[in-house]
Each structure stands twice: as C-alpha cells, then as structure tokens.
Amino acid sequence: MMIEDSKTIDEVVVIGYGSVKKSNLTGAVSSVKTTEIQQTPMTSIDQGLVGRASGVQVTQTSGMPGAVASIRVRGSSSLQGGNEPLYVIDGFPVYSGTGFGSTGGNTQISGLSTVNPSDIESIEILKDASATAIYGARAANGVVLITTKSGKKGRDIITFESSFGVQNVAKTIDVMNAQEYAALVNEAYTNDGLDAPYNTTQLGEIAKLGNGTNWQDEIFRPAMIQSYQLTFSGGDNKTTYAISGGYFDQKGVIINSDFKRYSLRLNLDRQIFNTLKVGTHMSGTHTISRTSATDVGGRDGVVNGALKMNPIQSVYANEETGEYTPTNDPGLLIPNPVATAKEEIYNNATTRALGDVYAEWEFLKDLKLKVSLGMDIMYLKQNKYTPSNIYQSLGIASAKVGVNRSINWLNENILTWNKTFKDIHSLNILGGFTIQRNNVESVTGASSNFVNDVMKYNNLGAGSIYDKPESSATQWSLMSYLARINYSLYDRYLFSVNGRVDGSSRFGGNNKYGFFPSGSVAWRISEEGFMEPVKAVINNLKLRTSYGFTGNTEIGVYESLATLGSNSWTIGNQLVSGFYPNRIPNPDLKWEKTGQFDIGFDLGLFNNRLRLTADYYYKKTTDLLYNVAIPSASGYDSMLKNIGSVQNKGYELSIESDNLSGAFSWTTAFNISFNRNKVLELGGETYKDVGTYDDHLKTSDIRRLIVGQPIGVFYGYRFDGIFQNEAECAQQTSSPSPIGVGLRRYKDLNGDGKIDATNDREILGDANPKFFGGMTNTFAYKGFELNVFLQYSYGNKIFNYNAMELESPTGGQNVYQDLVNRWTPTNPSNEYQKATTNRNNIVSDRFIEDGSFLKLKTVSLSYSFPKLNWKHIGGLRLYVTGQNLLTWTKYRGYDPEVSYRGASTLEAGEDFGGYPQARTFMFGIKLDIK
C-alpha cells in the first residue's frame, strides 16, 4: 500500500510579509530549488534562475563575469520604465534594474552580484496580482523573494564549501586566414579598378605565415573560477544563528577581465520572552570587477576587433619593446584588440552593507506587531585609465575616477492577527505602514596628459589637462499603507484580498498616491466528499483565480518637475557659467498601472507522484510612460507623458514527477511558457521609430513600435539574393544600396521598380520567443546523484550586427571564412555579394537570424558519503559540474543568449561584439563538521 506524500502540499511558501502552506496558496507563485542551482558556476542569483520557473524569461545578456541578466516575469510591460522584477531580500525591497558600473560598453554589472548565492535558503517568484499587489507601485514586473539561510535548533554545525573550475570559450567564429584574406583584399580593390594592396612578393611572404594571426585566440584564454564558503550555524530553544564568510573569484575568458567577491553574513534570532522575539539579518560584501570593452559596437570593442582585425598583421610591431601594432591596415580603423584588452582599464569596486533589525511582540493572544528598521548602503568607485601606448589615447594618457554613494533606509510596522474558529474558519489579517527613502550622491573627476603611466588613475593631479568635474545628488521617498485578509472555510474554500496605497515623490503633484488592490479565490476540490472515489488517483486538485492592479515607479527621479541644466558660454572674451531650463513640468505624471487576471489549477496525481500547475493570464498596462516629441517652438524636444497601453497574455505549465523511487530514484521537473506581447495604443499614433542609430555602420532605425505588434519589432528590407546579370539590374531603377551585377538585391514589395524606405520595408521579426522553458532530470542511486538540466527557447529573432560586418567583403576588415564562396563570374553565389571596397550596410532580414536554441545547460554528478563514523565529520559531499556543454542552434554568433543593449526592452535581441559565454568544468566539496 502506498502512503500519500503530503510533503509537497504542506510545504510552507514565502509570500509578501508572511508565509502560507502551499495547499492554501491562492496566487501564482513559483519556487526555485536552490540546492540545484548552487552547485552551478554563477556570480549572481539572477543568472541561476535561467529556465527554472514557468513564466520567468531569463536572458544572460553577456558572458562577462558579474554581468546582469535580463529577467521578464510574464513579459515586458513598459516602454521606458523598468521591466525588471522587484527583489525582496530578507524583507528589504531592492530594485536591481538593468545593472550598474562603467565597463567600457553597454554591458552592466548585476546589482545582485553583491549577494552571495551560497547564502540563499529559498527563492519564490510572485507572478500574479494576488501575490504581488501587497508590494503595490513596484510590483508590475513581478516580485522575487529571497530568503537567506538561518540557523536551526539543535547541534551547532560548521559547514565548509569549496569549488574550483576551468572555463573556456564555448565557441569561436570562423573568419578568413591570412592567405584567404589577402586574396579577398586584392579582389575587392581590383574589382573597383584600384591597385591591389598586396603584390606577388608580399603574397609569397603571406603564404609563409600560414593562417596568420588568430585574433580570437589572442584575446581568449582558459580561465579559472573558484569559491570558498565557511558557515557556522545552530541554535537552541531561544536562539538560532547563522554566520558565514565567502570568497568568490572568476577570471574572464577574455584576457584582463575578472570578478571577485568577499562576503560576510549574520542572521540571528532570539526569543527574549514568550511574547517577544528580536533578530537581525546583516550582510557585508565587497566586489571588484575588472572588465574589457565589449558590446561597444563600431570599432573599439575587444571582441569586435578580434573578429575583424587583419590576420596578416601581428599583435606587436616590435615584440621585444612591447610596441603594439596600433590599428587594422588597410581599411577600417580598428584598434588592436589585444592592446585594448591588456592596457585599457575599467575597474568597478563596490562595498555594500544590507540588513535590518527587528522586534516582534505578541502583545495580545494571536495579535503580533513586527517593527523593523533596515538599511542598504552602497559605495561604488569606478576607475578608468587609457594609457598613451594604445591607439585610443592618440598618444595622450587619460584617467577618470567616479564615486557613487547610495543610502537607502526602510522602516516597516506590520500588525498580524491569526485566528482559527471551531476548526472551520481560519482568518489571517495583516495591516501595516512603511516608509522608505533613498539618497544618492556622485562625483566624477578626470584628467589627461600624464608624464608616464605609472600612477594610472591613482593621481589625477599628475595630469596637466583637467576635465570639468561633475557631481550630483538625488533623493526619492515612498510612503505606504498595506493590508491583507486571508480567509479559509473548511480548509477548502480560500479567499484573499490585498490592498496597498503608495505615495511616491517621483510623480506629479496631482498623482502622488496610488491604490493597488487585488482579490483571489481558490477551491480545493480534492477535499470535497464527492472526490473520495477517485482519491487514490486525484489526491490534490485546487482551482484558483485572481484579479488585481499593480504599478511601476521606475522612471528615474524629478521627471515630473521643471529642472535646470548648467552650461558654459563665451560672452565677449570671458567664459560664463549659467543655467537653463531643460525639462517641462508635468504635474499629472503618474504610475504605469497593470491590471492582471489569472486563472489556474494545481493537480496532484497518484499520491502526488505527478504534480501539475497550469495558469492562463492576461495583463494590460495603461498610462505608459514615454517621451513624446513636442513642437520645437516650445524650446524643448520632448516631454514625458502617460500615453498608450500594452498587453501580455499567455499560458504556463509546470510538471514535476517522481518517476521511480527506491534504491534507484528518478525525478523530472519541466516547465514551458507561452507569452504574447502586443502594443495596444500609442497616444493616437500608429507607430514610432525606435532604436539607437549606429554611427559606425550608418544603419537607420532598425525597430518600430507598431500598434497591434509586440514591443520593438525589427523593421527593414527583405533580402532577395544577388543580382546575377544586367537584365535583373534593369528591373530596379533605384535602391538604397548600389545596383550592379554581384551586389545585393532587395524585394520590391509594391512592384514599382523602386526600392525605398516608405514602400519597401516591413516587419522582419520579433525578439520575443514563442515559448521557452527548462527541464531537469535527477537520477539517484545510493549516494550518487546525477542532475541534468536542459534550457530552451523557440521563435525569437536576433539582429546580428556582427554578420552585417562579417558579410561585407570590402577588403577593409576580416569576414566570415565562408565568404571564400562569394559571388564571382565563375561562382554566381546568390548568398554572398562580390568583393568591393564600397560598404553598403542595409538593415534587412539577411542579418536577422533565428535565435531559437536548446542547451544542455548543466550536468552535475555528486556523491554523498554514507553516515561516517569519523568523530567530527557529520557529512561529506563531492561533485563535478559542467555548464554550457552543448548548444543546438542555427544562430551564427557566439551564443543565442545575448543582448548588445544590455537588459533593454525596446532593443532586446541584438548582438554586436558581445562577451562570449564560457563552457565550465568544476569540482566541488561540501563538508559538515559537528
């Protein structure tokens, strides 16, 4: 006879300002198993969420150590506001945003990189309005609750954890070798009636070079990753504690890049009296990030340069003296990527203290008051130095130092009443008042023309030319009232009502406060008497639905106010400083508001050996914040207004199964998510061109916001092969690119014989996937455990700027190796144009590629030793882990998980010289000392 496994439905799930049994949960909440992700190499917990929860799309924007991950919970709901979820770490709300730091490119450092993943006990992701509305104006993008490890009552335990691994670039891109490239250069020049740069003698010397310089090999390296953690924990009937210290060091696979973290944590709880409990959660971290310029676009990026640099040239002009070859020659001005990576310095050092102290007093039976005071203090120092011996300096060394200090404090006062009547009615009422304030100050100084490079950025006064110093100070505040009522009848009819009033300093005087309510109901059908006949099969069935509103405050500060900017003007012969108005006030500026409907069910079959959770949701965000163009006669270019609306709707399915149990066990966890994003309204306009103009490539707008379409679709021409003869050329009278035999052809969509931007561009694709998810299989036999994790995404498109460059056979920079098959009179290719020195980079679907992928993301094999008879050893576990082992994709770049613009929503799914992700092999140990 099988005994019902009630553990899964009796688990306690952390929710906003409290916890509930999973069986009594009325909202949509996903829990992530930290035991699985903590044995994978990662610098921050956002990277570990990839593919682990339904409805949560995580994209690793860059392979740079410490880089931010883009996280979207049930799609993107804002155009210019924040789209990242709110993180609540041990009760303290933190908005990590799109990252921070000066890295030399668009990639940012994750705000969560200052949180040690090894300290985390549990992660819950709140997705629907019923779960998130208690956080009101900051919850429109979902909420991630992070709870760190606390001590347990019983014997004191010392735990030592360590891991060590090696990383390598998972993939390199095939470009031409020295001889192939020399032939291309000569062909491009002679095709245009120019003299060939390499004569017969030079070609003979090039042949002796073999493949020449492999610039990718020069900047990439095997890189070490290691971590160490020591934890003391335990407790008795009155006190529990956990003290930990950690060190993490990840070298980057690009030379001269790395990330280090030092961390300390103290969690302490003390029962003073039967009615009074006090405690604290305190952490301190110091991180050091050293980066190389990637995701720069154009000419200066390290990866971009390694792909395009002439393979005939060597790294050093004079290796004995260390003099670098300065730039690519002939052709485009591309700085030596090895010199850039080795010599140019981008350092970001962060010191952060995050924690709170609290007291919980049960002053009446079943009535508790919890008062807490928390603080998040962050100090960031950014150092940049460009020495005189690399091209970017033009012979003049320069240094820049920036300091940013943030002090964020929070006071929460929460009253909770929990009562059960006659074993039938269960009532939980919560009410509270919170206030939070954040102060930020920054200062930046810079100088140049140093005598030598010895002091670098450590002595700005040594430079003879001083730049104008900059400083700023900002502040925002949030005052809130919150309430929640949870009611259960017969433990099967469940009701929940939430409400929060937020007052924010960020918004206009006419809209300082907003109200965010939600309601949900759930029916535990499996507890009804009529389910008894099928109880052996269906032992858990719960139907739930919810509706409510949440907001988004992440728009920056002072956006509703008239502000002044400063500048200097020459009047007569004197330099005069002054102020000018630079923003139109908008007293009506208010929150973006998201209304969300959710309906779902939780199902447990065969004594809970098969567990399913499914949801359908519909989200509509109104009052979108966007900078609207206004008449120039006003003296301004734009004004921030609430315009338009966006919707997200979709399905989520999560399946967990215990396939086999006993001496050999096998469990599976699978999730899949479908989300459809659509722009509903744009302030009366049908479309808006968006995107960043790339000056190097001279590309026009590559994206549009179009009513009825997803946010930021790709927009451009349709590639139509190569002109093969003069007759084909005669069919088109004009085109944005040259018309000629062997050159690219574009589709004439309206059939008028002219290729123009008005009539011959159309939607080319969408960066949002049609569906995404992950699957974990865990096999265990005695002390052995094998964990295999697959991640997948299907239907998303990527604009490959790299391909636009690497398919340009101009002889001005290196190209794909496959361009040996370019068009020639004897090889009439319909894919690659002929060699020509004329650059014609047109935005077309030729460079918009399928970003779908399936990854063997992580494989981990561990062995836990059986009960040891050693005097002081309570447990020993060894494991080996491989990450990013295999990727199946049609995408031609380093990795389909990429974002040239960081965690941007309007410009997601672009790739231009990004930092490649690494394949990692790691060995780890966990030792419990008693």
Side-chain angles (χ1 to χ4, degrees):
M1 178 179 176
M2 297 185 69
I3 300 173
E4 179 180 334
D5 178 11
S6 62
K7 184 177 76 170
T8 55
I9 62 175
D10 287 337
E11 289 177 354
V12 174
V13 176
V14 178
I15 59 174
Y17 301 98
S19 60
V20 298
K21 286 198 304 182
K22 189 173 182 179
S23 58
N24 290 337
L25 189 64
T26 59
V29 178
S30 290
S31 297
V32 178
K33 295 180 180 179
T34 56
T35 53
E36 292 179 357
I37 63 177
Q38 284 173 345
Q39 60 193 39
T40 62
M42 59 180 172
T43 53
S44 59
I45 198 63
D46 50 352
Q47 299 172 5
L49 298 178
V50 172
R52 301 289 182 175
S54 63
V56 182
Q57 182 188 1
V58 183
T59 302
Q60 185 58 47
T61 62
S62 169
M64 182 189 81
V68 69
S70 170
I71 298 183
R72 298 292 181 266
V73 179
R74 293 184 167 181
S76 298
S77 299
S78 182
L79 301 179
Q80 281 187 203
N83 275 289
E84 304 297 317
L86 176 71
Y87 294 89
V88 181
I89 304 171
D90 287 331
F92 197 105
V94 173
Y95 185 74
S96 178
T98 56
F100 67 90
S102 174
T103 64
N106 293 325
T107 302
Q108 296 285 278
I109 302 167
S110 172
L112 294 177
S113 63
T114 58
V115 178
N116 184 354
S118 298
D119 284 334
I120 295 174
E121 178 74 29
S122 67
I123 301 172
E124 269 78 33
I125 303 173
L126 315 184
K127 298 183 291 187
D128 73 335
S130 171
T132 60
I134 199 70
Y135 290 102
R138 295 178 288 182
N141 303 313
V143 179
V144 179
L145 303 181
I146 297 175
T147 304
T148 58
K149 295 175 181 177
S150 297
K152 305 293 189 294
K153 294 179 181 180
R155 190 165 186 174
D156 297 328
I157 298 174
I158 302 174
T159 302
F160 174 73
E161 300 171 80
S162 178
S163 63
F164 180 88
V166 177
Q167 311 161 97
N168 285 281
V169 173
K171 173 186 176 182
T172 57
I173 294 173
D174 291 334
V175 292
M176 286 187 170
N177 63 31
Q179 295 180 69
E180 293 166 339
Y181 184 66
L184 169 69
V185 172
N186 282 354
E187 186 178 320
Y189 277 70
T190 55
N191 279 348
D192 292 346
L194 303 172
D195 292 336
Y198 300 114
N199 58 37
T200 304
T201 302
Q202 290 171 316
L203 290 175
E205 292 298 317
I206 291 170
K208 296 177 183 178
L209 297 176
N211 291 329
T213 302
N214 186 321
W215 289 95
Q216 292 179 82
D217 285 352
E218 294 293 336
I219 67 164
F220 296 142
R221 65 177 179 184
M224 178 188 69
I225 181 172
Q226 60 182 326
S227 67
Y228 305 90
Q229 174 97 353
L230 184 63
T231 304
F232 304 86
S233 64
D236 53 29
N237 290 330
K238 282 187 168 289
T239 304
T240 58
Y241 72 94
I243 305 171
S244 67
Y247 171 70
F248 176 84
D249 182 10
Q250 181 182 10
K251 307 298 182 186
V253 292
I254 292 179
I255 54 177
N256 206 33
S257 63
D258 56 49
F259 178 88
K260 294 180 180 179
R261 177 177 56 236
Y262 306 85
S263 63
L264 289 171
R265 177 171 292 278
L266 167 64
N267 285 353
L268 177 66
D269 299 284
R270 173 71 176 177
Q271 193 79 43
I272 303 294
F273 308 117
N274 290 336
T275 58
L276 180 62
K277 181 181 179 181
V278 298
T280 184
H281 311 89
M282 289 291 178
S283 69
T285 55
H286 180 67
T287 65
I288 303 170
S289 173
R290 184 171 56 169
T291 62
S292 295
T294 56
D295 288 299
V296 178
R299 303 182 179 96
D300 289 348
V302 171
V303 174
N304 191 47
L307 290 172
K308 298 188 302 181
M309 194 79 175
N310 185 341
I312 300 168
Q313 293 178 279
S314 60
V315 174
Y316 294 96
N318 187 326
E319 192 165 1
E320 290 184 1
T321 63
E323 179 187 353
Y324 292 102
T325 298
T327 59
N328 176 70
D329 184 60
L332 288 180
L333 200 158
I334 304 167
N336 183 328
V338 177
T340 302
K342 285 187 173 182
E343 304 294 337
E344 195 166 34
I345 298 173
Y346 291 94
N347 285 353
N348 294 270
T350 304
T351 302
R352 186 176 194 176
L354 172 64
D356 72 343
V357 292
Y358 75 89
E360 185 177 81
W361 179 31
E362 187 175 1
F363 59 93
L364 293 175
K365 184 175 173 55
D366 302 318
L367 185 62
K368 294 181 180 179
L369 173 65
K370 183 177 181 180
V371 179
S372 65
L373 179 63
M375 192 78 73
D376 182 11
I377 302 173
M378 189 167 174
Y379 176 87
L380 168 65
K381 186 170 185 285
Q382 303 171 84
N383 302 315
K384 178 189 175 184
Y385 188 75
T386 305
S388 57
N389 65 332
I390 64 173
Y391 171 78
Q392 288 91 328
S393 69
L394 300 178
I396 301 174
S398 62
K400 185 176 183 179
V401 175
V403 174
N404 182 289
R405 187 193 69 182
S406 171
I407 300 177
N408 189 342
W409 63 263
L410 168 72
N411 169 236
E412 294 187 330
N413 309 274
I414 307 297
L415 195 63
T416 306
W417 186 57
N418 201 348
K419 186 70 174 178
T420 300
F421 303 93
K422 299 180 180 180
D423 296 325
I424 296 176
H425 309 276
S426 179
L427 186 63
N428 178 278
I429 300 176
L430 177 146
F433 168 75
T434 76
I435 186 167
Q436 186 171 5
R437 175 167 291 177
N438 188 60
N439 295 282
V440 178
E441 294 183 50
S442 65
V443 61
T444 302
S447 65
S448 59
N449 201 24
F450 293 86
V451 175
N452 56 50
D453 297 322
V454 174
M455 297 299 292
K456 297 183 172 62
Y457 49 75
N458 293 305
N459 187 357
L460 294 181
S464 62
I465 300 174
Y466 301 124
D467 292 356
K468 181 180 177 181
E470 298 177 357
S471 64
S472 67
T474 61
Q475 181 185 96
W476 60 260
S477 301
L478 189 71
M479 185 171 67
S480 309
Y481 305 88
L482 55 102
R484 178 173 62 217
I485 300 174
N486 288 341
Y487 171 66
S488 170
L489 178 61
Y490 291 110
D491 206 28
R492 57 180 180 265
Y493 308 112
L494 311 172
F495 306 87
S496 181
V497 178
N498 294 269
R500 180 164 175 144
V501 174
D502 279 319
S504 173
S505 63
R506 300 180 189 233
F507 292 93
N510 298 333
N511 290 294
K512 287 293 185 188
Y513 287 86
F515 176 53
F516 304 95
S518 76
S520 60
V521 297
W523 178 23
R524 295 188 64 196
I525 303 173
S526 56
E527 301 304 302
E528 297 288 359
F530 60 77
M531 293 294 291
E532 284 298 325
V534 293
K535 196 73 172 178
V537 178
I538 304 175
N539 52 282
N540 179 42
L541 176 59
K542 180 172 64 177
L543 180 67
R544 48 187 169 74
T545 186
S546 67
Y547 186 76
F549 294 91
T550 50
N552 188 352
T553 66
E554 296 304 325
I555 64 163
V557 293
Y558 311 133
E559 295 287 350
S560 68
L561 303 177
T563 56
L564 298 175
S566 63
N567 208 339
S568 298
W569 298 266
T570 301
I571 300 178
N573 294 323
Q574 290 186 330
L575 188 66
V576 179
S577 297
F579 294 89
Y580 63 94
N582 63 358
R583 181 181 291 125
I584 297 179
N586 183 357
D588 295 321
L589 202 68
K590 59 184 177 181
W591 283 272
E592 295 178 336
K593 201 166 190 175
T594 297
Q596 182 175 183
F597 167 76
D598 182 281
I599 185 169
F601 68 84
D602 304 312
L603 176 63
L605 301 174
F606 313 116
N607 297 312
N608 268 337
R609 292 186 61 171
L610 179 61
R611 303 171 295 279
L612 295 87
T613 298
D615 285 89
Y616 166 79
Y617 61 88
Y618 177 86
K619 293 170 58 179
K620 182 179 180 181
T621 303
T622 56
D623 298 320
L624 286 176
L625 289 160
Y626 196 76
N627 279 314
V628 179
I630 57 177
S632 57
S634 67
Y636 301 89
D637 296 324
S638 62
M639 178 180 180
L640 187 64
K641 290 185 176 181
N642 294 99
I643 66 162
S645 62
V646 167
Q647 79 170 24
N648 287 276
K649 61 180 180 179
Y651 301 89
E652 302 167 359
L653 176 64
S654 176
I655 302 174
E656 295 181 348
S657 62
D658 301 331
N659 306 313
L660 295 173
S661 58
F664 176 79
S665 65
W666 170 27
T667 63
T668 299
F670 171 82
N671 70 80
I672 188 169
S673 304
F674 303 81
N675 183 74
R676 296 295 179 265
N677 174 271
K678 183 192 293 186
V679 177
L680 298 178
E681 205 263 326
L682 282 173
E685 299 185 52
T686 57
Y687 73 89
K688 289 179 179 291
D689 286 314
V690 295
T692 304
Y693 174 78
D694 191 284
D695 183 62
H696 167 58
L697 290 177
K698 311 298 182 188
T699 54
S700 59
D701 297 320
I702 68 170
R703 319 186 81 115
R704 271 191 177 179
L705 285 172
I706 303 176
V707 173
Q709 297 294 328
I711 293 176
V713 292
F714 297 113
Y715 197 80
Y717 297 94
R718 290 284 179 187
F719 176 70
D720 195 27
I722 305 297
F723 288 108
Q724 299 296 332
N725 50 57
E726 292 295 345
E728 290 184 2
C729 295
Q731 294 175 4
Q732 294 186 1
T733 58
S734 65
S735 175
S737 67
I739 298 173
V741 176
L743 300 179
R744 294 190 187 111
R745 180 175 64 187
Y746 300 95
K747 285 189 177 180
D748 183 7
L749 298 182
N750 69 341
D752 64 354
K754 301 176 182 179
I755 309 299
D756 61 80
T758 302
N759 300 302
D760 297 303
R761 291 190 299 162
E762 64 180 0
I763 296 170
L764 303 178
D766 176 20
N768 297 296
K770 290 181 170 60
F771 61 84
F772 60 90
M775 182 171 71
T776 302
N777 280 284
T778 303
F779 308 89
Y781 178 70
K782 295 185 177 180
F784 289 96
E785 183 177 281
L786 175 65
N787 184 279
V788 181
F789 173 55
L790 296 167
Q791 177 202 358
Y792 62 90
S793 178
Y794 176 78
N796 55 299
K797 301 296 183 181
I798 300 174
F799 188 89
N800 192 347
Y801 278 102
N802 299 317
M804 182 179 277
E805 293 270 50
L806 297 176
E807 284 194 19
S808 295
T810 63
Q813 89 283 324
N814 209 348
V815 294
Y816 284 130
Q817 195 278 333
D818 199 38
L819 261 76
V820 296
N821 299 312
R822 61 189 174 272
W823 190 95
T824 65
T826 58
N827 181 50
S829 169
N830 206 36
E831 185 176 8
Y832 302 123
Q833 70 170 49
K834 71 177 183 179
T836 172
T837 59
N838 295 314
R839 292 170 60 83
N840 52 89
N841 294 311
I842 304 300
V843 176
S844 75
D845 63 340
R846 174 66 192 169
F847 310 113
I848 294 177
E849 302 183 19
D850 185 1
S852 304
F853 66 86
L854 171 64
K855 284 189 175 186
L856 181 56
K857 187 71 174 181
T858 308
V859 176
S860 183
L861 176 64
S862 66
Y863 180 71
S864 297
F865 286 80
K867 189 174 181 179
L868 300 172
N869 294 321
W870 301 344
K871 183 176 180 181
H872 295 294
I873 304 300
L876 176 62
R877 181 170 170 270
L878 304 176
Y879 64 89
V880 290
T881 297
Q883 188 175 48
N884 291 326
L885 298 177
L886 293 170
T887 300
W888 294 273
T889 183
K890 296 179 181 178
Y891 183 60
R892 291 184 290 173
Y894 288 108
D895 196 290
E897 281 192 284
V898 66
S899 182
Y900 165 42
R901 312 288 183 182
S904 169
T905 295
L906 288 177
E907 299 175 282
E910 298 179 19
D911 185 6
F912 200 174
Y915 198 121
Q917 294 197 41
R919 178 179 293 122
T920 306
F921 295 94
M922 188 173 71
F923 169 78
I925 180 174
K926 182 177 180 181
L927 177 66
D928 290 332
I929 304 172
K930 59 184 179 180

mmCIF file of all heavy atoms in Angstrom, residues 129 161 303 320 339 540 785 851 876 919:
data_model
loop_
_atom_site.group_PDB
_atom_site.id
_atom_site.type_symbol
_atom_site.label_atom_id
_atom_site.label_comp_id
_atom_site.label_asym_id
_atom_site.label_seq_id
_atom_site.Cartn_x
_atom_site.Cartn_y
_atom_site.Cartn_z
ATOM 1 N N ALA A 129 -1.341 39.191 -9.746
ATOM 2 C CA ALA A 129 -1.648 40.370 -8.932
ATOM 3 C C ALA A 129 -1.977 40.000 -7.499
ATOM 4 O O ALA A 129 -1.684 40.759 -6.571
ATOM 5 C CB ALA A 129 -2.807 41.135 -9.562
ATOM 6 N N GLU A 161 32.373 24.784 2.249
ATOM 7 C CA GLU A 161 32.069 24.500 0.843
ATOM 8 C C GLU A 161 33.141 25.136 -0.022
ATOM 9 O O GLU A 161 33.565 26.269 0.224
ATOM 10 C CB GLU A 161 30.701 25.063 0.467
ATOM 11 C CG GLU A 161 29.546 24.505 1.267
ATOM 12 C CD GLU A 161 28.262 25.263 0.997
ATOM 13 O OE1 GLU A 161 27.619 24.986 -0.033
ATOM 14 O OE2 GLU A 161 27.897 26.125 1.810
ATOM 15 N N VAL A 303 36.068 42.191 -28.678
ATOM 16 C CA VAL A 303 35.581 41.065 -29.482
ATOM 17 C C VAL A 303 35.350 41.493 -30.915
ATOM 18 O O VAL A 303 35.713 40.790 -31.875
ATOM 19 C CB VAL A 303 34.291 40.486 -28.870
ATOM 20 C CG1 VAL A 303 33.687 39.423 -29.776
ATOM 21 C CG2 VAL A 303 34.579 39.912 -27.489
ATOM 22 N N GLU A 320 59.887 42.807 -28.857
ATOM 23 C CA GLU A 320 60.932 42.969 -27.845
ATOM 24 C C GLU A 320 60.674 44.196 -26.975
ATOM 25 O O GLU A 320 60.883 44.173 -25.760
ATOM 26 C CB GLU A 320 62.305 43.083 -28.516
ATOM 27 C CG GLU A 320 62.776 41.776 -29.155
ATOM 28 C CD GLU A 320 64.179 41.911 -29.726
ATOM 29 O OE1 GLU A 320 64.770 43.009 -29.603
ATOM 30 O OE2 GLU A 320 64.669 40.918 -30.293
ATOM 31 N N ALA A 339 45.844 44.949 -27.515
ATOM 32 C CA ALA A 339 46.297 46.137 -26.790
ATOM 33 C C ALA A 339 45.168 46.734 -25.956
ATOM 34 O O ALA A 339 45.370 47.126 -24.803
ATOM 35 C CB ALA A 339 46.831 47.168 -27.783
ATOM 36 N N ASN A 540 -4.867 15.669 -5.038
ATOM 37 C CA ASN A 540 -4.801 17.114 -4.819
ATOM 38 C C ASN A 540 -5.289 17.820 -6.069
ATOM 39 O O ASN A 540 -4.749 17.611 -7.158
ATOM 40 C CB ASN A 540 -3.365 17.554 -4.499
ATOM 41 C CG ASN A 540 -3.275 19.058 -4.289
ATOM 42 O OD1 ASN A 540 -4.133 19.655 -3.642
ATOM 43 N ND2 ASN A 540 -2.242 19.670 -4.835
ATOM 44 N N GLU A 785 24.228 11.014 -7.233
ATOM 45 C CA GLU A 785 23.127 11.781 -7.808
ATOM 46 C C GLU A 785 23.607 12.456 -9.087
ATOM 47 O O GLU A 785 24.654 13.105 -9.117
ATOM 48 C CB GLU A 785 22.617 12.838 -6.825
ATOM 49 C CG GLU A 785 21.421 13.629 -7.355
ATOM 50 C CD GLU A 785 20.875 14.617 -6.349
ATOM 51 O OE1 GLU A 785 20.139 14.178 -5.435
ATOM 52 O OE2 GLU A 785 21.205 15.816 -6.453
ATOM 53 N N GLY A 851 16.975 32.880 -33.357
ATOM 54 C CA GLY A 851 17.673 32.760 -32.088
ATOM 55 C C GLY A 851 17.217 31.579 -31.253
ATOM 56 O O GLY A 851 17.572 31.478 -30.069
ATOM 57 N N LEU A 876 29.792 14.504 4.115
ATOM 58 C CA LEU A 876 30.767 14.852 3.087
ATOM 59 C C LEU A 876 30.145 14.600 1.720
ATOM 60 O O LEU A 876 29.600 13.525 1.455
ATOM 61 C CB LEU A 876 32.037 14.016 3.242
ATOM 62 C CG LEU A 876 33.116 14.206 2.156
ATOM 63 C CD1 LEU A 876 33.616 15.641 2.142
ATOM 64 C CD2 LEU A 876 34.266 13.227 2.385
ATOM 65 N N ARG A 919 32.201 27.766 -21.455
ATOM 66 C CA ARG A 919 31.930 26.388 -21.059
ATOM 67 C C ARG A 919 32.793 26.102 -19.831
ATOM 68 O O ARG A 919 33.992 26.344 -19.842
ATOM 69 C CB ARG A 919 32.242 25.429 -22.195
ATOM 70 C CG ARG A 919 32.032 23.958 -21.819
ATOM 71 C CD ARG A 919 32.331 23.040 -22.989
ATOM 72 N NE ARG A 919 31.376 23.218 -24.069
ATOM 73 C CZ ARG A 919 31.694 23.564 -25.312
ATOM 74 N NH1 ARG A 919 32.957 23.790 -25.633
ATOM 75 N NH2 ARG A 919 30.765 23.708 -26.241
#
